[in-house]
Amino acid sequence: MITGKTKLLGVIGHPIEHSLSPVMHNAAIANLGADYVYLPLPVKPADLASAMAGFAAIDLQGFSVTIPHKQAIIPFLTAVSPIAQAVGAVNTVWQTESGWRGTNTDVEGFVAPLKALDQDWTQAAVVVLGNGGAARAVVVGCTQLGCPQVHVVGRDAQKLEQFQRSWSHAPLSVNLQTHLWQQLPELLPYATLLVNTTPIGMYPQVNDSPLAADAIALLPDHAIAYDLIYTPNPTQFLQIASQRQLVAIDGLEMLVQQGAAALTIWLQQPASVEVMRRSLRQHLGWES
């Protein structure tokens, strides 16, 4: 029951109506019996400063950050973790006596299902499709795992060059190479892990895949295909990978794991990944 003592958490973004975060966070909060509630908080880009002042006034304990605020939030924070500095984006903020602090749990969310695999990441070559913000979290995660080679593939040479340069002052040494899309046939036969960070395959283009079957056929038999998209489930990309009998990982696990990491920061106790995962699968109609 929500009372005058209930502490507030939330997620900010614009738009925010589609967010699944309240579903999984409130399920985990109820499971813990904690006196918190997690709310969707619509904040337009022009209103971020006034929203931050309002959050302090109502004693908001912490909040998740989604598009378009992940970079814009940084100037409002008194401290940003090295991992968030490396990614260049914050997705989790919490209140301290000295002000708001921020980190990025997308990295922890991304690597969690990979750590569960029996894999020597120090021998792994990674191919990342796309060079946007999500790709940055993937690069940091793969570097944390110890992957010696990370190849980022995009279609725009200028944007790829900017992506490469952006790591020169990062508080993390990354072994990164960038490639144009047409170079994929040279990279795929050696890839241990192939990650889709593009929106290709997301609703409404649910029948699209960033790579056709003949390209995915170039992957070695032991390769892992990871799509950061979580709906539809599976995506066309992962359907093709599964037909090749490759290990397929969908984006729902990253969503759940990054959320559990954030909730652990706010509540100072571990959140149930299983409760969060099940609540989302039921909400999406994937299980009864």
Side-chain angles (χ1 to χ4, degrees), residues 9-288:
L9 299 167
V11 53
I12 69 168
H14 182 73
I16 202 64
E17 294 83 1
H18 67 285
S19 177
L20 295 177
S21 293
V23 174
M24 65 177 182
H25 281 295
N26 285 313
I29 288 166
N31 179 68
L32 288 168
D35 194 7
Y36 285 78
V37 65
Y38 183 100
L39 304 168
L41 303 168
V43 176
K44 296 175 183 175
D47 295 335
L48 185 57
S50 55
M52 291 298 289
F55 294 159
I58 64 171
D59 199 29
L60 191 71
Q61 299 294 295
F63 54 95
S64 308
V65 186
T66 189
I67 294 169
H69 302 306
K70 287 188 173 188
Q71 290 83 36
I73 195 76
I74 292 173
F76 296 94
L77 308 177
T78 56
V80 176
S81 72
I83 208 87
Q85 290 174 33
V87 177
V90 163
N91 80 330
T92 302
V93 174
W94 65 101
Q95 191 186 125
T96 71
E97 289 183 2
S98 59
W100 299 106
R101 297 177 67 92
T103 190
N104 192 305
T105 64
D106 283 335
V107 176
E108 188 173 343
F110 169 73
V111 300
L114 297 175
K115 285 181 175 178
L117 300 175
D118 183 21
Q119 179 72 48
D120 180 7
W121 295 106
T122 63
Q123 304 296 316
V126 182
V127 175
V128 181
L129 304 177
N131 51 271
R136 297 189 66 85
V138 170
V139 168
V140 173
C142 291
T143 301
Q144 280 190 341
L145 287 172
C147 302
Q149 300 175 57
V150 182
H151 303 274
V152 174
V153 185
R155 299 185 187 275
D156 186 312
Q158 187 176 358
K159 288 181 179 176
L160 282 171
E161 187 180 340
Q162 290 170 349
F163 187 89
Q164 180 87 56
R165 281 202 313 266
S166 70
W167 295 93
S168 58
H169 300 297
L172 187 73
S173 178
V174 300
N175 185 7
L176 174 69
Q177 296 178 45
T178 55
H179 310 264
L180 285 167
W181 206 265
Q182 52 264 39
Q183 294 174 271
L184 271 168
E186 304 161 30
L187 300 170
L188 293 173
Y190 305 100
T192 312
L193 171 65
L194 174 65
V195 186
N196 176 39
T197 73
T198 78
I200 301 171
M202 191 182 289
Y203 181 84
Q205 283 84 34
V206 295
N207 294 319
D208 293 346
S209 169
L211 295 182
D214 57 351
I216 293 175
L218 298 174
L219 289 164
D221 292 339
H222 58 77
I224 302 154
Y226 195 148
D227 199 337
L228 301 196
I229 298 170
Y230 52 82
T231 182
N233 183 273
T235 57
Q236 192 68 25
F237 172 68
L238 291 186
Q239 286 184 53
I240 299 169
S242 296
Q243 287 163 9
R244 277 271 339 263
Q245 297 186 315
L246 303 178
V247 174
I249 303 172
D250 66 63
L252 191 80
E253 194 63 18
M254 178 175 172
L255 177 68
V256 168
Q257 295 280 356
Q258 65 79 27
L263 203 54
T264 298
I265 292 171
W266 297 322
L267 303 187
Q268 292 296 293
Q269 58 179 313
S272 172
V273 171
E274 177 53 38
V275 166
M276 297 176 86
R277 184 189 299 118
R278 189 169 63 246
S279 70
L280 285 188
R281 293 187 67 85
Q282 289 174 345
H283 177 78
L284 292 165
W286 297 350
E287 60 183 56
S288 57

